[in-house]
Amino acid sequence: MWRGLAPLGLDRGSGGYRRYAWSGADAECREWFRAQAESRGLVHEVDRNGNQWAWHGDPRAGDAVVTGSHLDSVPDGGAFDGPLGVVSSFAALDELRRRGAEFARPFAVVNFGDEEGARFGLACVGSRLAAGQLTVEDAHRLRDGNGVPLPRAMEAAGYDPDAIGPDPERLARIGAFVELHVEQGRALDLSGDPVGVASAIWPHGRWRFDFRGEANHAGTTRLADRRDPMLPYAETVLAARREAELAGGLATFGKIAVEPNGVNAIPSLVRGWLDSRAADQGTLDAVVSGVERAAREHAERAGVDLDVVRESFTPVVDFQHALRDEIRRVLEKRGRGGADTGGRAVPVLGTGAGHDAGILSASVPTAMLFVRNPTGVSHSPAEHAAEDDCVAGVRALADVLEGLACS
Ligand SMILES: [Zn+2]
Protein backbone atom coordinates (compact mmCIF):
# COMPACT_ATOMS: atom_id res chain seq x y z
CA MET A 1 0.00 0.00 0.00
CA TRP A 2 2.81 2.44 0.85
CA ARG A 3 4.43 1.89 -2.54
CA GLY A 4 1.20 3.01 -4.24
CA LEU A 5 0.74 6.06 -2.01
CA ALA A 6 4.37 7.21 -1.77
CA PRO A 7 4.64 9.13 -5.08
CA LEU A 8 1.21 10.83 -4.86
CA GLY A 9 1.53 14.56 -4.23
CA LEU A 10 5.23 14.29 -3.35
CA ASP A 11 7.18 17.50 -3.98
CA ARG A 12 10.63 16.46 -5.17
CA GLY A 13 12.19 19.76 -4.09
CA SER A 14 11.10 19.74 -0.45
CA GLY A 15 10.65 15.98 -0.04
CA GLY A 16 7.26 16.73 1.54
CA TYR A 17 3.66 16.03 0.53
CA ARG A 18 1.30 18.63 -0.94
CA ARG A 19 -2.01 16.79 -0.96
CA TYR A 20 -4.42 19.70 -0.72
CA ALA A 21 -8.18 19.26 -0.73
CA TRP A 22 -9.71 18.93 -4.22
CA SER A 23 -6.30 19.17 -5.95
CA GLY A 24 -4.92 16.71 -8.51
CA ALA A 25 -2.88 14.99 -5.79
CA ASP A 26 -6.03 14.66 -3.67
CA ALA A 27 -7.83 13.05 -6.61
CA GLU A 28 -4.96 10.55 -6.99
CA CYS A 29 -5.16 9.66 -3.28
CA ARG A 30 -8.93 9.19 -3.58
CA GLU A 31 -8.43 6.94 -6.59
CA TRP A 32 -5.90 4.93 -4.55
CA PHE A 33 -8.50 4.56 -1.76
CA ARG A 34 -11.19 3.40 -4.19
CA ALA A 35 -8.81 0.83 -5.67
CA GLN A 36 -7.89 -0.47 -2.19
CA ALA A 37 -11.58 -0.79 -1.33
CA GLU A 38 -12.48 -2.59 -4.53
CA SER A 39 -9.50 -4.94 -4.42
CA ARG A 40 -10.84 -6.17 -1.06
CA GLY A 41 -14.41 -6.55 -2.29
CA LEU A 42 -15.60 -3.61 -0.18
CA VAL A 43 -18.41 -1.36 -1.39
CA HIS A 44 -16.97 2.07 -2.16
CA GLU A 45 -19.09 5.17 -1.74
CA VAL A 46 -18.52 8.90 -1.52
CA ASP A 47 -20.86 10.82 0.74
CA ARG A 48 -22.37 14.26 0.03
CA ASN A 49 -19.41 15.97 1.75
CA GLY A 50 -16.75 14.14 -0.23
CA ASN A 51 -15.76 11.65 2.47
CA GLN A 52 -14.93 8.19 1.12
CA TRP A 53 -16.24 4.97 2.68
CA ALA A 54 -15.37 1.34 2.03
CA TRP A 55 -18.04 -0.97 3.44
CA HIS A 56 -17.99 -4.59 4.52
CA GLY A 57 -21.54 -5.65 5.34
CA ASP A 58 -24.71 -3.59 5.05
CA PRO A 59 -24.30 -0.06 6.42
CA ARG A 60 -28.08 0.27 6.82
CA ALA A 61 -27.99 -2.45 9.49
CA GLY A 62 -26.56 0.21 11.84
CA ASP A 63 -24.22 0.01 14.84
CA ALA A 64 -21.28 -0.16 12.41
CA VAL A 65 -17.65 -0.21 13.49
CA VAL A 66 -15.73 2.36 11.44
CA THR A 67 -12.02 3.05 11.29
CA GLY A 68 -9.90 5.36 9.15
CA SER A 69 -8.34 8.78 8.99
CA HIS A 70 -7.43 11.19 6.16
CA LEU A 71 -5.15 11.26 3.11
CA ASP A 72 -4.70 15.02 2.60
CA SER A 73 -1.64 16.83 3.96
CA VAL A 74 -0.33 20.13 5.26
CA PRO A 75 2.13 21.99 2.97
CA ASP A 76 5.20 19.75 2.75
CA GLY A 77 3.72 17.28 5.20
CA GLY A 78 5.12 13.90 6.15
CA ALA A 79 4.11 10.49 4.86
CA PHE A 80 2.35 9.24 8.01
CA ASP A 81 -0.04 11.94 9.28
CA GLY A 82 -3.36 10.66 7.99
CA PRO A 83 -2.22 7.90 5.62
CA LEU A 84 -0.92 5.71 8.49
CA GLY A 85 -4.50 5.50 9.80
CA VAL A 86 -5.99 4.65 6.40
CA VAL A 87 -3.29 2.12 5.47
CA SER A 88 -3.48 0.52 8.92
CA SER A 89 -7.27 0.25 8.61
CA PHE A 90 -7.06 -1.73 5.37
CA ALA A 91 -4.16 -3.77 6.80
CA ALA A 92 -6.16 -4.50 9.96
CA LEU A 93 -9.05 -5.79 7.83
CA ASP A 94 -6.57 -8.04 5.97
CA GLU A 95 -5.28 -9.28 9.34
CA LEU A 96 -8.82 -10.01 10.57
CA ARG A 97 -9.56 -11.97 7.41
CA ARG A 98 -6.32 -13.93 7.93
CA ARG A 99 -7.50 -14.72 11.45
CA GLY A 100 -10.80 -15.93 10.01
CA ALA A 101 -12.71 -13.40 12.12
CA GLU A 102 -16.43 -13.15 11.41
CA PHE A 103 -18.01 -9.73 11.50
CA ALA A 104 -21.13 -9.45 13.64
CA ARG A 105 -21.52 -5.74 12.83
CA PRO A 106 -21.11 -3.76 9.58
CA PHE A 107 -17.56 -2.47 9.16
CA ALA A 108 -16.10 0.42 7.15
CA VAL A 109 -12.84 2.17 6.39
CA VAL A 110 -13.21 5.93 5.90
CA ASN A 111 -11.09 8.68 4.34
CA PHE A 112 -12.32 12.05 5.59
CA GLY A 113 -11.90 14.90 3.10
CA ASP A 114 -9.95 18.11 3.76
CA GLU A 115 -8.81 17.23 7.30
CA GLU A 116 -5.75 19.47 7.45
CA GLY A 117 -7.42 22.64 6.20
CA ALA A 118 -4.21 23.45 4.32
CA ARG A 119 -6.01 24.99 1.36
CA PHE A 120 -9.09 26.71 2.80
CA GLY A 121 -7.82 27.49 6.30
CA LEU A 122 -10.35 25.41 8.23
CA ALA A 123 -9.45 21.92 9.47
CA CYS A 124 -11.73 18.84 9.31
CA VAL A 125 -14.14 20.28 6.74
CA GLY A 126 -15.45 16.85 5.64
CA SER A 127 -16.26 15.64 9.14
CA ARG A 128 -17.42 19.06 10.38
CA LEU A 129 -19.95 19.30 7.54
CA ALA A 130 -21.21 15.75 8.17
CA ALA A 131 -21.56 16.40 11.91
CA GLY A 132 -23.30 19.75 11.35
CA GLN A 133 -20.43 21.66 12.97
CA LEU A 134 -19.85 23.78 9.85
CA THR A 135 -22.81 25.39 8.09
CA VAL A 136 -23.21 25.11 4.34
CA GLU A 137 -23.18 28.92 4.10
CA ASP A 138 -19.86 29.17 5.97
CA ALA A 139 -18.37 26.35 3.88
CA HIS A 140 -19.44 28.08 0.68
CA ARG A 141 -17.64 31.22 1.84
CA LEU A 142 -14.26 29.45 2.28
CA ARG A 143 -11.59 30.55 -0.22
CA ASP A 144 -8.10 29.30 -0.90
CA GLY A 145 -4.94 31.44 -1.13
CA ASN A 146 -5.66 32.17 -4.80
CA GLY A 147 -9.20 33.34 -4.07
CA VAL A 148 -10.80 30.14 -5.41
CA PRO A 149 -14.03 29.50 -3.43
CA LEU A 150 -14.54 26.01 -2.00
CA PRO A 151 -17.60 25.35 -4.23
CA ARG A 152 -15.57 26.06 -7.40
CA ALA A 153 -12.74 23.81 -6.19
CA MET A 154 -15.21 20.98 -5.48
CA GLU A 155 -16.84 21.41 -8.88
CA ALA A 156 -13.46 21.38 -10.62
CA ALA A 157 -12.73 18.05 -8.87
CA GLY A 158 -16.06 16.63 -10.08
CA TYR A 159 -18.11 16.98 -6.87
CA ASP A 160 -21.39 18.78 -6.27
CA PRO A 161 -20.95 21.67 -3.80
CA ASP A 162 -24.71 22.11 -3.50
CA ALA A 163 -25.02 18.63 -1.98
CA ILE A 164 -22.83 19.33 1.06
CA GLY A 165 -24.32 19.58 4.52
CA PRO A 166 -25.21 17.71 7.70
CA ASP A 167 -25.43 13.95 7.28
CA PRO A 168 -27.03 12.71 10.52
CA GLU A 169 -28.39 9.53 8.93
CA ARG A 170 -24.93 8.42 7.87
CA LEU A 171 -23.42 9.19 11.26
CA ALA A 172 -26.30 7.41 12.99
CA ARG A 173 -25.16 4.17 11.30
CA ILE A 174 -21.88 4.30 13.23
CA GLY A 175 -21.74 2.53 16.57
CA ALA A 176 -18.02 3.20 17.14
CA PHE A 177 -15.30 5.10 15.30
CA VAL A 178 -11.62 4.33 15.94
CA GLU A 179 -8.91 6.48 14.34
CA LEU A 180 -5.30 5.31 14.38
CA HIS A 181 -2.77 8.13 13.97
CA VAL A 182 0.96 8.66 14.13
CA GLU A 183 1.75 10.34 17.45
CA GLN A 184 2.58 14.01 17.04
CA GLY A 185 4.73 14.23 20.12
CA ARG A 186 7.21 12.07 22.02
CA ALA A 187 5.13 10.63 24.88
CA LEU A 188 5.31 7.05 23.55
CA ASP A 189 9.01 7.38 22.76
CA LEU A 190 9.60 8.53 26.33
CA SER A 191 7.47 5.75 27.84
CA GLY A 192 8.93 3.08 25.54
CA ASP A 193 5.60 1.91 24.10
CA PRO A 194 4.79 1.34 20.42
CA VAL A 195 1.05 2.09 20.79
CA GLY A 196 -1.09 4.26 23.06
CA VAL A 197 -4.74 5.23 23.49
CA ALA A 198 -6.03 8.82 23.39
CA SER A 199 -7.65 10.39 26.44
CA ALA A 200 -8.58 13.83 25.11
CA ILE A 201 -7.90 16.43 22.44
CA TRP A 202 -6.94 19.81 23.83
CA PRO A 203 -9.13 22.81 23.02
CA HIS A 204 -7.55 24.69 20.12
CA GLY A 205 -8.18 27.42 17.60
CA ARG A 206 -6.87 29.79 14.96
CA TRP A 207 -6.94 33.57 15.25
CA ARG A 208 -6.10 36.06 12.46
CA PHE A 209 -4.35 39.28 13.44
CA ASP A 210 -4.57 42.08 10.83
CA PHE A 211 -2.15 44.93 11.51
CA ARG A 212 -2.88 47.85 9.15
CA GLY A 213 -0.40 50.69 8.72
CA GLU A 214 0.74 52.76 5.79
CA ALA A 215 2.83 51.63 2.81
CA ASN A 216 5.70 53.92 2.00
CA HIS A 217 9.21 54.07 0.56
CA ALA A 218 11.82 52.24 2.65
CA GLY A 219 14.52 54.68 1.55
CA THR A 220 12.84 58.07 1.88
CA THR A 221 10.43 57.77 4.83
CA ARG A 222 11.91 58.95 8.14
CA LEU A 223 11.59 56.39 10.95
CA ALA A 224 9.54 58.87 12.96
CA ASP A 225 7.03 59.26 10.13
CA ARG A 226 6.32 55.56 9.66
CA ARG A 227 3.22 53.56 10.56
CA ASP A 228 4.91 50.19 10.14
CA PRO A 229 2.64 47.21 11.01
CA MET A 230 5.61 44.80 11.00
CA LEU A 231 6.79 46.25 14.34
CA PRO A 232 3.70 45.43 16.45
CA TYR A 233 3.43 42.10 14.61
CA ALA A 234 7.01 41.21 15.66
CA GLU A 235 6.27 42.20 19.27
CA THR A 236 3.13 40.06 19.15
CA VAL A 237 5.08 36.99 18.04
CA LEU A 238 7.37 37.43 21.05
CA ALA A 239 4.37 38.01 23.32
CA ALA A 240 2.77 34.78 22.11
CA ARG A 241 5.81 32.80 23.20
CA ARG A 242 5.90 34.61 26.55
CA GLU A 243 2.18 34.13 27.27
CA ALA A 244 2.33 30.44 26.33
CA GLU A 245 5.27 29.89 28.67
CA LEU A 246 3.58 31.78 31.48
CA ALA A 247 0.27 29.93 31.25
CA GLY A 248 1.62 26.50 30.27
CA GLY A 249 -0.07 26.35 26.85
CA LEU A 250 1.09 26.56 23.25
CA ALA A 251 1.03 29.54 20.87
CA THR A 252 2.46 29.74 17.37
CA PHE A 253 2.55 32.28 14.57
CA GLY A 254 3.40 30.03 11.61
CA LYS A 255 1.77 31.88 8.74
CA ILE A 256 2.10 35.49 7.67
CA ALA A 257 0.93 37.55 4.69
CA VAL A 258 2.49 40.95 3.99
CA GLU A 259 1.25 43.68 1.63
CA PRO A 260 2.66 44.95 -0.63
CA ASN A 261 5.41 42.42 0.21
CA GLY A 262 8.26 44.41 -1.35
CA VAL A 263 11.83 44.46 -0.05
CA ASN A 264 12.00 48.25 -0.34
CA ALA A 265 8.49 49.02 0.92
CA ILE A 266 7.21 49.61 4.43
CA PRO A 267 4.22 47.25 4.62
CA SER A 268 0.65 48.51 4.61
CA LEU A 269 -0.67 45.25 6.06
CA VAL A 270 0.80 42.42 8.08
CA ARG A 271 -1.59 39.55 8.61
CA GLY A 272 -0.45 36.83 11.01
CA TRP A 273 -2.25 33.68 12.09
CA LEU A 274 -2.05 32.54 15.71
CA ASP A 275 -2.55 28.86 16.47
CA SER A 276 -3.08 28.27 20.17
CA ARG A 277 -3.81 25.14 22.22
CA ALA A 278 -3.83 24.15 25.87
CA ALA A 279 -4.87 21.26 28.07
CA ASP A 280 -7.91 23.18 29.34
CA GLN A 281 -10.12 26.08 28.30
CA GLY A 282 -9.02 28.45 31.07
CA THR A 283 -5.37 28.16 30.08
CA LEU A 284 -6.18 28.65 26.41
CA ASP A 285 -8.25 31.77 27.20
CA ALA A 286 -5.38 33.17 29.28
CA VAL A 287 -2.87 32.67 26.44
CA VAL A 288 -5.03 34.15 23.68
CA SER A 289 -6.24 37.14 25.68
CA GLY A 290 -2.65 37.83 26.77
CA VAL A 291 -1.45 37.78 23.16
CA GLU A 292 -4.30 40.02 22.03
CA ARG A 293 -3.65 42.50 24.85
CA ALA A 294 0.02 42.76 23.86
CA ALA A 295 -0.88 43.11 20.17
CA ARG A 296 -3.25 46.01 20.94
CA GLU A 297 -0.70 47.82 23.09
CA HIS A 298 2.03 47.57 20.48
CA ALA A 299 -0.29 48.43 17.60
CA GLU A 300 -1.41 51.59 19.37
CA ARG A 301 2.17 52.60 20.11
CA ALA A 302 3.05 52.19 16.40
CA GLY A 303 -0.04 54.05 15.14
CA VAL A 304 -1.29 50.87 13.52
CA ASP A 305 -4.87 49.56 13.40
CA LEU A 306 -5.56 46.03 14.56
CA ASP A 307 -8.38 43.57 13.93
CA VAL A 308 -8.40 40.16 15.58
CA VAL A 309 -10.72 37.52 14.10
CA ARG A 310 -11.24 34.03 15.51
CA GLU A 311 -11.26 31.86 12.37
CA SER A 312 -11.90 28.51 13.97
CA PHE A 313 -12.24 26.94 17.38
CA THR A 314 -12.65 23.41 18.69
CA PRO A 315 -13.47 22.89 22.38
CA VAL A 316 -11.87 20.15 24.46
CA VAL A 317 -12.76 16.64 23.33
CA ASP A 318 -12.89 14.00 26.02
CA PHE A 319 -13.06 10.63 24.24
CA GLN A 320 -15.81 8.33 25.44
CA HIS A 321 -14.56 6.63 28.58
CA ALA A 322 -16.46 3.37 28.03
CA LEU A 323 -14.98 2.82 24.56
CA ARG A 324 -11.52 3.90 25.71
CA ASP A 325 -11.63 1.50 28.66
CA GLU A 326 -12.91 -1.29 26.41
CA ILE A 327 -10.00 -0.68 24.03
CA ARG A 328 -7.47 -0.71 26.86
CA ARG A 329 -8.97 -3.96 28.14
CA VAL A 330 -8.70 -5.56 24.69
CA LEU A 331 -5.11 -4.39 24.17
CA GLU A 332 -3.93 -5.34 27.63
CA LYS A 333 -5.57 -8.76 27.45
CA ARG A 334 -4.14 -9.52 24.02
CA GLY A 335 -0.74 -8.15 24.87
CA ARG A 336 -0.81 -5.13 22.61
CA GLY A 337 -0.82 -6.71 19.21
CA GLY A 338 0.74 -10.01 20.13
CA ALA A 339 3.73 -8.57 21.97
CA ASP A 340 4.28 -9.61 25.56
CA THR A 341 3.40 -6.56 27.62
CA GLY A 342 4.76 -8.06 30.81
CA GLY A 343 1.61 -6.85 32.54
CA ARG A 344 2.25 -3.24 31.54
CA ALA A 345 -0.69 -0.91 31.08
CA VAL A 346 -1.32 0.68 27.68
CA PRO A 347 -0.46 4.38 27.95
CA VAL A 348 -3.32 6.88 27.74
CA LEU A 349 -2.32 10.24 26.23
CA GLY A 350 -3.82 13.66 25.62
CA THR A 351 -2.94 15.48 22.42
CA GLY A 352 -2.78 19.05 21.18
CA ALA A 353 -3.56 18.03 17.60
CA GLY A 354 -7.09 18.10 16.18
CA HIS A 355 -8.55 15.08 14.37
CA ASP A 356 -11.73 13.97 12.62
CA ALA A 357 -12.24 11.67 15.61
CA GLY A 358 -12.56 14.80 17.75
CA ILE A 359 -15.24 16.24 15.48
CA LEU A 360 -17.19 12.97 15.32
CA SER A 361 -17.02 12.45 19.08
CA ALA A 362 -19.95 14.85 19.52
CA SER A 363 -22.23 12.44 17.60
CA VAL A 364 -20.55 9.02 17.79
CA PRO A 365 -18.62 6.98 20.41
CA THR A 366 -15.05 7.65 19.30
CA ALA A 367 -11.54 6.55 20.24
CA MET A 368 -7.99 6.98 18.96
CA LEU A 369 -4.85 4.87 18.89
CA PHE A 370 -1.44 6.51 18.56
CA VAL A 371 1.66 4.89 17.04
CA ARG A 372 5.08 5.89 18.36
CA ASN A 373 6.92 8.67 16.51
CA PRO A 374 10.57 8.46 17.60
CA THR A 375 11.33 12.17 17.15
CA GLY A 376 7.83 13.52 17.68
CA VAL A 377 8.30 15.56 14.47
CA SER A 378 5.08 15.93 12.50
CA HIS A 379 3.75 18.15 9.68
CA SER A 380 7.24 17.84 8.19
CA PRO A 381 9.00 15.48 5.76
CA ALA A 382 11.01 14.26 8.81
CA GLU A 383 7.85 12.72 10.36
CA HIS A 384 8.51 9.04 10.96
CA ALA A 385 7.27 5.78 12.44
CA ALA A 386 9.38 2.62 12.48
CA GLU A 387 8.10 -0.34 10.49
CA ASP A 388 7.87 -2.55 13.61
CA ASP A 389 5.76 0.10 15.35
CA CYS A 390 3.48 0.44 12.31
CA VAL A 391 2.98 -3.33 12.38
CA ALA A 392 2.28 -3.19 16.13
CA GLY A 393 -0.28 -0.47 15.35
CA VAL A 394 -2.00 -2.65 12.75
CA ARG A 395 -2.14 -5.60 15.17
CA ALA A 396 -3.50 -3.39 17.94
CA LEU A 397 -6.12 -1.93 15.61
CA ALA A 398 -7.06 -5.42 14.41
CA ASP A 399 -7.40 -6.56 18.04
CA VAL A 400 -9.61 -3.59 18.84
CA LEU A 401 -11.77 -4.05 15.74
CA GLU A 402 -12.07 -7.78 16.40
CA GLY A 403 -13.16 -7.04 19.97
CA LEU A 404 -15.74 -4.51 18.79
CA ALA A 405 -17.04 -5.93 15.52
CA CYS A 406 -16.52 -9.68 15.47
CA SER A 407 -18.44 -12.42 17.16
ZN1 LIG B 1 -3.80 13.84 10.82
Side-chain angles (χ1 to χ4, degrees), residues 70 81-82 115-116 181 355:
H70 62 95
D81 181 352
E115 193 274 347
E116 295 286 7
H181 205 278
H355 299 285

Side-chain angles (χ1 to χ4, degrees), residues 69-70 72 80-83 115-116 179-182 184 353-356 368 378-379 383:
S69 190
H70 62 95
D72 69 322
F80 296 89
D81 181 352
E115 193 274 347
E116 295 286 7
E179 179 170 2
L180 177 146
H181 205 278
V182 67
Q184 294 168 293
H355 299 285
D356 294 307
M368 289 191 76
S378 182
H379 287 186
E383 179 182 273

Side-chain angles (χ1 to χ4, degrees), residues 3-26:
R3 263 195 299 278
L5 264 180
L8 309 183
L10 178 64
D11 182 78
R12 305 253 163 230
S14 68
Y17 287 98
R18 298 179 180 178
R19 295 165 172 165
Y20 307 141
W22 313 117
S23 67
D26 188 46

Side-chain angles (χ1 to χ4, degrees), residues 103-186:
F103 283 86
R105 295 163 72 175
F107 168 81
V109 179
V110 64
N111 167 33
F112 283 108
D114 197 4
E115 193 274 347
E116 295 286 7
R119 182 169 176 189
F120 295 99
L122 178 66
C124 301
V125 168
S127 56
R128 272 184 213 272
L129 278 169
Q133 294 180 28
L134 169 64
T135 67
V136 176
E137 295 71 36
D138 286 347
H140 279 187
R141 273 198 287 270
L142 294 173
R143 282 168 190 272
D144 72 8
N146 296 318
V148 178
L150 174 76
R152 298 294 85 73
M154 284 187 78
E155 256 166 15
Y159 294 83
D160 177 8
D162 294 323
I164 64 173
D167 207 347
E169 281 174 30
R170 185 172 299 271
L171 296 190
R173 296 169 178 172
I174 306 174
F177 174 64
V178 182
E179 179 170 2
L180 177 146
H181 205 278
V182 67
E183 198 200 350
Q184 294 168 293
R186 289 188 57 219

